Amino acid sequence: ANQLSNGETKKILILRALLRNPGLLLLDQPLDGLDPESRELVCQLIDSVASRGITVLLASAKPDFPPSITRVLLVEGLRVVSSCRAADFILPVSAAVQRDPEKPSFPGLLSGFPVFEFREAVRMEQVRIRYPGLELLRDINWVIRKGERWALSGPNGSGKSTLLSLIYADHPQAYSNDLWIFDRKRGSGETIWEIKERIGFVSSESQGYIPGWWKAGKIRPPGILPVQDYLRNLQEVLSYLGLARILERRFDQLSSAQQRLLLLAVAISTGPALLILDEPCQGLDLRHRDLVKGMIDELASKTGITLIYVSHEGNDIPSCVTHHFRIGGGRRQDGLPGISKSGPWTG
C-alpha cells in the first residue's frame, strides 16, 4: 500500500465502499486528485450505483459531480443557503476573502526571504528506480534551473510521487543515481536536512503526518529563517488566506481544506529556495483555488522562487508556470503540446 499514489489509494477506497453494496453511499471529494481517465471511470461507477437505486450523497468543494447527481444542496458559513435540481444549479459569486486590514497585502513581509546561491535546483541524468519485479522510474532526465517554474503532470501511479521523493531527500535510491540537488551530487557528504531546509513541500500525504493535538502556530518544518521571521511570514500568509485566527487552534480542529491551506502557508513562510506543491488545491473551493494561484504568482514575481507544481487540472496551474514535465509509466513523455490553463491535462 505504501507504493500506491494518492490517486490510486483513493480509487481503491471508493471500490472497497462499492463492494460492500451499500444502501447509502457517502463520498467526500471523490474526484479530486484523480487523472482524467480515472475521473471518468469513477463517475461511471457512481452512475452505475445510482442506476441500481442506491442513494448517493457526494460532497464537493466545486461544482464537479457525475450526471447521476440530481439535486444540489449549497452550504455556506455552516448554513444551507439553497437547494435545487442539479440541472438548475448555478454557483453564486462568493464574497471576497476577508483579510486583516492591519496587515499589508501579501507578500509585503516576505522581502526577508533568504538568498540562495545555486545554478540548478535539480539535475537528473538517466535516473532509474527499481525493486524486484517492479520498475517505478526509467531513464529520467530533468534539469530545473534557478527561477524556473515547472508543472509536473501524469496519470495516477505514473511515478510523480517517486520523482518528488528523490528531490526531497526521502528516497534511499537517490544515492545510486546521478542526481544533483542545488548543484551538489547526492551522496557527496550532504545531510538530508541540508536539503529539506531549502525546500518547501506540500502534499496530501503531509497532512497525515501532523499530530492532531499540535497547535497550528507550532508547526514548523526545516528551514534557515530565524523563528521570529518565520512566524511573521506565517501570520502574513494566513492573513492573506483569511485564516489569521487559526494559529491557536489544534490541527485536528481544522477542516481538511484549512489544513491544506495552513501547510501551504507553512511551506511558503520558511522562505524556501525550491517550492514543491503536490495538488495544493485539492479539496479547495473555487474561491480559494483562485486565491492560491494568485498568491503563487505574486510569490514568483516578488521572490523569483523556483517551483514544481503538480496537478491533474490545467485550470489550477498558476500563470507563472512556463515549463511542463509530463511522466507516464515511469518515463518522461516528450513531444507534448504547450501548457493549457483550462480543463484537465491532455496529451
Side-chain angles (χ1 to χ4, degrees), residues 141-156:
N141 295 285
W142 192 10
V143 178
I144 301 176
R145 296 173 180 84
K146 185 177 183 179
E148 290 182 344
R149 270 85 68 176
W150 284 80
L152 173 61
S153 69
N156 299 129

Side-chain angles (χ1 to χ4, degrees), residues 13-27 45-46 48-57:
L13 292 175
I14 292 173
L15 287 172
R16 188 170 70 175
L18 293 175
L19 288 173
R20 297 179 63 183
N21 194 28
L24 171 64
L25 180 62
L26 302 177
L27 298 171
L45 289 172
I46 294 172
S48 176
V49 167
S51 69
R52 301 203 308 265
I54 296 174
T55 302
V56 177
L57 181 58

Side-chain angles (χ1 to χ4, degrees), residues 6 33 202-209 260 263 278-280 282:
N6 177 56
V202 177
S203 69
S204 299
E205 291 77 11
S206 61
Q207 287 181 242
Y209 299 151
R260 177 61 59 90
L263 294 184
D278 188 356
E279 296 280 357
Q282 186 171 317

Side-chain angles (χ1 to χ4, degrees), residues 266-295:
V266 165
I268 289 174
S269 299
T270 61
L274 171 64
L275 185 61
I276 302 176
L277 303 181
D278 188 356
E279 296 280 357
C281 292
Q282 186 171 317
L284 302 186
D285 58 36
L286 295 179
R287 179 180 58 169
H288 280 93
R289 287 171 187 256
D290 287 342
L291 195 58
V292 166
K293 288 190 294 181
M295 180 174 66

Side-chain angles (χ1 to χ4, degrees), residues 7 28 47 54 103 126 142 154 160 196 209 242 286 301 309 330 336:
D28 187 5
D47 291 343
I54 296 174
K103 297 285 184 180
Q126 297 297 111
W142 192 10
K160 298 188 300 297
K196 289 179 180 292
Y209 299 151
L286 295 179
S301 66
Y309 194 103
L336 295 172

Side-chain angles (χ1 to χ4, degrees), residues 8-316:
E8 290 176 309
T9 300
K10 174 171 284 190
K11 287 188 288 185
I12 287 176
L13 292 175
I14 292 173
L15 287 172
R16 188 170 70 175
L18 293 175
L19 288 173
R20 297 179 63 183
N21 194 28
L24 171 64
L25 180 62
L26 302 177
L27 298 171
D28 187 5
Q29 312 283 348
L31 303 181
D32 260 16
L34 299 183
D35 59 60
E37 183 179 340
S38 297
R39 289 163 65 91
E40 183 177 354
L41 174 61
V42 170
C43 284
Q44 291 173 355
L45 289 172
I46 294 172
D47 291 343
S48 176
V49 167
S51 69
R52 301 203 308 265
I54 296 174
T55 302
V56 177
L57 181 58
L58 184 152
S60 179
K62 57 180 182 176
D64 185 14
F65 26 77
S68 57
I69 298 299
T70 57
R71 296 198 62 83
V72 176
L73 199 69
L74 181 63
V75 179
E76 286 187 357
L78 304 180
R79 296 174 56 189
V80 174
V81 296
S82 70
S83 174
C84 65
R85 296 190 311 157
D88 299 329
F89 178 70
I90 299 176
L91 188 69
V93 177
S94 300
V97 175
Q98 296 299 313
R99 304 189 184 102
D100 186 346
E102 300 299 320
K103 297 285 184 180
S105 176
F106 175 88
L109 296 180
L110 299 183
S111 57
F113 261 38
V115 177
F116 296 95
E117 297 297 333
F118 63 94
R119 292 171 302 159
E120 296 172 347
V122 177
R123 174 176 284 272
M124 296 182 181
E125 295 183 356
Q126 297 297 111
V127 166
R128 292 188 174 190
I129 301 297
R130 297 173 176 174
Y131 294 97
L134 180 65
E135 186 174 52
L136 299 180
L137 295 178
R138 177 173 48 180
D139 301 332
I140 295 293
N141 295 285
W142 192 10
V143 178
I144 301 176
R145 296 173 180 84
K146 185 177 183 179
E148 290 182 344
R149 270 85 68 176
W150 284 80
L152 173 61
S153 69
N156 299 129
S158 59
K160 298 188 300 297
S161 296
T162 302
L163 207 58
L164 297 181
S165 69
L166 284 169
I167 297 171
Y168 195 55
D170 279 340
H171 204 292
Q173 291 191 36
Y175 300 104
S176 61
N177 277 283
D178 289 328
L179 171 64
W180 290 259
I181 305 296
F182 301 119
D183 297 330
R184 189 169 184 178
K185 195 174 191 303
R186 291 303 316 273
S188 61
E190 81 291 349
T191 69
I192 64 171
W193 301 113
E194 288 175 317
I195 295 174
K196 289 179 180 292
E197 70 182 7
R198 294 180 171 210
I199 298 177
F201 186 33
V202 177
S203 69
S204 299
E205 291 77 11
S206 61
Q207 287 181 242
Y209 299 151
I210 307 297
W213 51 269
W214 276 17
K215 291 288 185 66
K218 299 296 184 182
I219 298 172
R220 189 185 181 210
I224 68 172
L225 278 184
V227 174
Q228 63 271 21
D229 293 338
Y230 162 75
L231 291 176
R232 181 191 63 189
N233 286 346
L234 181 60
Q235 182 69 46
E236 171 62 22
V237 179
L238 288 175
S239 179
Y240 179 90
L241 294 171
L243 299 173
R245 298 181 181 180
I246 71 169
L247 287 174
E248 294 304 314
R249 294 174 61 183
R250 288 168 46 122
F251 192 71
D252 59 7
Q253 292 175 332
L254 306 178
S255 70
S256 178
Q258 288 174 326
Q259 291 177 356
R260 177 61 59 90
L261 290 169
L262 170 65
L263 294 184
L264 175 60
V266 165
I268 289 174
S269 299
T270 61
L274 171 64
L275 185 61
I276 302 176
L277 303 181
D278 188 356
E279 296 280 357
C281 292
Q282 186 171 317
L284 302 186
D285 58 36
L286 295 179
R287 179 180 58 169
H288 280 93
R289 287 171 187 256
D290 287 342
L291 195 58
V292 166
K293 288 190 294 181
M295 180 174 66
I296 299 304
D297 283 335
E298 279 199 66
L299 184 68
S301 66
K302 296 289 180 66
T303 70
I305 195 169
T306 309
L307 174 71
I308 301 175
Y309 194 103
V310 184
S311 180
H312 293 293
E313 291 285 340
N315 51 20
D316 280 345

